[in-house]
Amino acid sequence: MVAAQPGSSQTPPASSTDGIIVLLDQDTSRSLAPSASGDEGAVELLAEAPIYAQLADADLEVERVIDGSAGVLLELDPAADQSDAQAFEEASELPGVAEVYYNYIYEPIEAVGGDAAADALDVEAQSLDAASSSVVDDPYARSEGSPNQYWLFNANVDRAWTQSRTEGAVTVAVLDSGCDLDHPDLVDNLLTDLAYDSFDDCDLDGADVEDATGHGSLVSGIIGATANNGTGIAGVSYNANILPIKVYNDAGTEARSFSIIAAYEKLFEYIDTGVCDTIRVVNTSIGQRPQEGYETSLGPDTLVEQAIEQARNDYGIATVAAGGNGTPAAGGRQPLTTNIYPSDLDAVISVTALNEDGTNVYWSDYNACKDISAPGMNVWSTSRYGGYDCESGTSFSSPIVAGTVALMFAARPEATVDDICEALYATATPIVDTVNDRSETSGSHGALDAERAVLYLMLHVPGDTSVVSAFSDVSESDWFFTSTISAYVNGYINGYADGAFGPMGAVTRGQVATILFNMANGSLGSDATFAQDAQGAYITGFNDVDGNAFYAKAIAWAKKEGVVNGYADGTFKPDSPVSVQEFVCMLANYAHRKGEDVASASVDLSQYLGG
C-alpha cells in the first residue's frame, strides 16, 4: 500500500478535507475483529479497545469503522480547535496505527443544464403514441422530436442491442446522490433491497433523503431505465440491474473518501457473500481536484484508488467516471486540463462530452488521462418524483459508456476489464472538430461506437459467435464471416442502409476509395483539409463525381494522396465496378502511401484487405 506515511508534514488545504482516516496495524485489527464490522454497533464495540482511549486522548472522535480488505479503517473527526493537519500528526504517533490518510472531500460533477425549453415532464401525462425509431417501443427512444434519445443512435446503441441485451445478467452500481426508488420507469430494474447510503451507513430505502438533487436518478435512467416497456426512455444497458449507492450527504453537496471506500467495500461484501455476484460496472460522477503539490504517484487519495484498483483487478469491475465540466467563466464555462479524480486515475475509464453533431462540447475537460467520449448535451432521462428531465454534462456521457460496458459484459461474462477497454478504445471513431480540436491534447480515443465495441469484444474473447453479425446477409457459416465482421468492427466497411452487406455483389470504384479512406482512418486531417464549394460539396478534381455523394470525400482524399488517378478524360467513374488490375493498382498506391516498398516481392499486402 502506498500512503502518506506517519509523521508526514504534508498539509492539505483546509477546504479539501474533512477529518482523517487511520488504518490500524494487523495486531490491533485482529484484536478488534469481528467487532469492527462496519455496522451500527462497531463504534460502541471499539470503545472497549485500548486504541479508543488513545484516540480520545488525542481529541479524535471515531465516526465510522470499516473492517475492509485493507484492514480496519477508522473515520476520525478532530476536535473543533484541531486542524486536520494537526490531527494527522497526532494520529501518526499513536501505537496501533499503521498509516494515516486525509479524508478528502469530493464534490459532485453537476449538470451544466439542458435545453432551456426542456421542462421536467410528468410520466403520467405522457402520450405513448409517439413513433419510436428504435428496436424498442419506449416513446422517447427516437432520434428526433422532443423528448428524444438521439444518443442511442449517435453512439450506435440501438444497433448494439441486436448483438447483446443485458436483461438482468449484469448489475451496474451507481455511486451518486441516490435515486428515486419509486420511479415507474426505473423500479423494475432497481435492486431496492440492496440500495445503500454509504455516507450515513444505512439502507437507502427508508433513508431520510433518497436523492436530494435528482442527479443519481438521471444517471440511473440513462443506464437502466426499463427498455421496451412502452414508457418514457430506454436505458443503454437494455435492462441491467441498477444498484444505487448514495455516496453524498443528504444535501447532495459532498462525498468523502470514507463514503467512497465504504461503497466499494459494500460491493465486495455483496459479491463475496453471494448476495449479488453480477456486479461488473461502477458509474460515478464525483470529482476532486488536488491542489498543486499534494499529489502522490498514485493521485491524491490512495485509499480510493486502491479500492478502484481492487474492484478492477480482483472482482472484474470496470469503473466509469465523468471527466469534468470545467469551471464557470464569463459568458459560460471554461474547460480545464488539470486532473480530476477519480476520473483521471489509470484504473478508471474517463469520459468526455460530445455535442449532438459529434463535436467536442466546449466546456468538457480534456487532458491526457481522458479515455473516450460520448454524447453529453441535452440528454433526457428519469428525474425525481417520477418524471423526466433534460440535462447536459460529462456525468451524462459517463453512464452511456457504463451502460455499453454492461452490454459488453452480458455478451462476454468472462471478459476482463482490460478486454473491455481494448474493445472500447479500438473501435472509437475519430472526433472531427475544427473549432475545439483536441486531437493533440486529449487522451480520448474518440467517440463511443457501442455496436462495434460489443462486436470487437465478441470476436476477441472466446464465446458463442452464432449470434454475431453486423449484416442481415452474413452468417457464421460463410467463409468470409470473420473477415467481413472484422472489417466492419474496424470501421473499414459499413454496408447498406437496409442492413445488408451484399457479399456477392460487385464493388464499385467509389466504394474501394471509401474503404481505403476508412482504413486510413481520416489520418490526413479534418474536413478543412479537402476543398469544398460554397454549398459544402467536396471538390474532387473529377468531372463526374457528385461532391455530395457518400464517396466524395474519400475520392478527394485518394486523388490528393495519389491512391487513384482516374481516366484521361477527367472522369473517375465512381459507380463502375472495379477491375482486378484497378484494385491492385489502388492497393499498391495505398501501400506506398503507408511506407511499404511495393517493388519488393516480399511485401505482404494482405493486411490492407481488412481481413
Side-chain angles (χ1 to χ4, degrees):
M1 175 182 292
V2 179
Q5 298 300 311
S8 168
S9 61
Q10 183 185 56
T11 305
S15 61
S16 67
T17 63
D18 188 5
I20 61 173
I21 301 171
V22 301
L23 172 68
L24 301 182
D25 62 29
Q26 291 185 358
D27 290 340
T28 306
S29 295
R30 279 194 294 267
S31 70
L32 296 175
S35 63
S37 60
D39 60 24
E40 294 180 358
V43 175
E44 287 76 8
L45 290 167
L46 180 65
E48 302 174 5
I51 186 67
Y52 187 89
Q54 297 164 4
L55 293 168
D57 289 343
D59 289 331
L60 297 172
E61 181 180 355
V62 179
E63 294 288 339
R64 293 273 301 280
V65 182
I66 295 177
D67 184 13
S69 51
V72 175
L73 294 170
L74 311 180
E75 182 180 31
L76 303 180
D77 184 22
D81 61 349
Q82 189 179 38
S83 70
D84 288 349
Q86 291 171 328
F88 188 104
E89 297 296 335
E90 289 277 358
S92 299
E93 301 298 326
L94 297 179
V97 172
E99 297 182 39
V100 185
Y101 310 84
Y102 290 112
N103 198 5
Y104 283 91
I105 295 173
Y106 288 78
E107 297 179 351
I109 299 179
E110 297 177 335
V112 176
D115 189 331
D119 297 324
L121 300 176
D122 181 352
V123 68
E124 298 297 331
Q126 298 314 302
S127 169
L128 302 184
D129 59 3
S132 170
S133 58
S134 175
V135 296
V136 295
D137 63 5
D138 305 83
Y140 306 152
R142 55 188 180 178
S143 58
E144 297 178 347
S146 182
N148 68 53
Q149 290 183 269
Y150 75 89
W151 37 274
L152 291 177
F153 309 93
N154 286 25
N156 279 338
V157 172
D158 63 320
R159 291 177 60 95
W161 290 340
T162 66
Q163 312 298 333
S164 176
R165 300 181 182 185
T166 304
E167 297 289 20
V170 175
T171 296
V172 181
V174 178
L175 276 56
D176 214 293
S177 61
C179 186
D180 177 357
L181 299 178
D182 298 314
H183 196 293
D185 209 6
L186 282 172
V187 66
D188 288 345
N189 290 337
L190 291 175
L191 299 182
T192 303
D193 292 345
L194 302 181
Y196 177 56
D197 182 339
S198 69
F199 194 93
D200 291 320
D201 189 25
C202 64
D203 294 337
L204 183 58
D205 187 18
D208 292 339
V209 178
E210 285 187 351
D211 188 356
T213 64
H215 191 279
S217 298
L218 289 163
V219 170
S220 295
I222 294 169
I223 300 170
T226 308
N228 213 35
N229 66 342
T231 300
I233 68 170
V236 173
S237 68
Y238 209 107
N239 298 329
N241 295 324
I242 301 299
L243 174 56
I245 297 188
K246 177 182 165 189
V247 294
Y248 289 102
N249 58 10
D250 282 350
T253 56
E254 66 176 49
R256 297 175 189 156
S257 300
F258 205 84
S259 66
I260 299 168
I261 298 161
Y264 276 94
E265 291 291 347
K266 181 63 70 173
L267 299 182
F268 302 158
E269 174 192 326
Y270 284 158
I271 296 171
D272 290 339
T273 59
V275 171
C276 183
D277 59 4
T278 59
I279 302 168
R280 300 301 303 274
V281 189
V282 166
N283 185 89
T284 183
S285 303
I286 53 182
Q288 206 267 359
R289 298 185 190 275
Q291 301 295 317
E292 184 178 357
Y294 296 102
E295 296 185 35
T296 69
S297 60
L298 294 180
D301 195 336
T302 301
L303 285 176
V304 167
E305 182 170 11
Q306 182 184 31
I308 292 171
E309 289 186 339
Q310 183 175 5
R312 177 169 176 152
N313 298 330
D314 296 345
Y315 291 90
I317 297 173
T319 296
V320 185
N325 299 336
T327 187
R333 300 185 70 83
Q334 177 68 39
L336 298 177
T337 57
T338 53
N339 288 342
I340 185 169
Y341 296 101
S343 175
D344 289 357
L345 296 173
D346 289 342
V348 175
I349 300 171
S350 179
V351 187
T352 67
L354 300 175
N355 290 305
E356 296 182 35
D357 63 359
T359 57
N360 294 305
V361 175
Y362 80 92
W363 40 252
S364 180
D365 285 1
Y366 60 99
N367 59 40
C369 296
K370 310 306 181 190
D371 296 306
I372 197 164
S373 306
M377 279 294 290
N378 296 327
V379 177
W380 280 92
S381 189
T382 50
S383 63
R384 291 180 296 170
Y385 315 126
Y388 298 85
D389 207 353
C390 180
E391 294 287 358
S392 300
T394 57
S395 52
F396 308 116
S397 307
S398 177
I400 295 175
V401 175
T404 299
V405 173
L407 289 173
M408 296 168 74
F409 275 127
R412 289 289 184 267
E414 62 278 16
T416 66
V417 179
D418 286 345
D419 293 330
I420 295 292
C421 291
E422 178 184 338
L424 284 173
Y425 305 156
T427 57
T429 59
I431 299 169
V432 178
D433 189 340
T434 58
V435 177
N436 295 297
D437 181 13
R438 294 165 182 174
S439 57
E440 298 297 325
T441 52
S442 175
S444 174
H445 291 78
L448 170 70
D449 188 321
E451 182 197 21
R452 284 187 165 97
V454 170
L455 283 171
Y456 184 101
L457 186 74
M458 295 174 79
L459 290 177
H460 288 78
V461 174
D464 181 17
T465 59
S466 63
V467 296
V468 178
S469 183
F471 306 109
S472 59
D473 52 358
V474 176
S475 64
E476 186 184 24
S477 60
D478 295 322
W479 64 266
F480 47 80
F481 170 79
T482 300
S483 295
T484 303
I485 302 303
S486 294
Y488 175 74
V489 166
N490 285 308
Y492 303 159
I493 60 175
N494 293 299
Y496 296 96
D498 62 358
F501 177 61
M504 300 306 169
V507 179
T508 68
R509 289 168 53 81
Q511 289 171 332
V512 171
T514 302
I515 292 170
L516 294 176
F517 175 73
N518 291 341
M519 289 173 65
N521 214 19
S523 60
L524 292 186
S526 66
D527 285 8
T529 305
F530 309 102
Q532 295 171 267
D533 63 21
Q535 286 71 45
Y538 288 101
I539 301 173
T540 65
F542 298 108
N543 56 36
D544 63 341
V545 175
D546 180 357
N548 294 304
F550 76 87
Y551 45 63
K553 181 179 178 181
I555 292 174
W557 162 83
K559 181 174 176 58
K560 177 180 178 181
E561 291 298 304
V563 174
V564 300
N565 297 302
Y567 297 93
D569 61 358
T571 63
F572 182 70
K573 300 180 181 179
D575 298 319
S576 297
V578 65
S579 66
V580 173
Q581 60 266 39
E582 288 173 337
F583 178 71
V584 170
C585 287
M586 290 183 188
L587 197 60
N589 289 339
Y590 179 81
H592 180 70
R593 173 191 175 276
K594 297 287 287 186
E596 298 283 0
D597 181 7
V598 296
S600 172
S602 64
V603 173
D604 178 10
L605 299 181
S606 63
Q607 61 180 301
Y608 299 111
L609 295 175

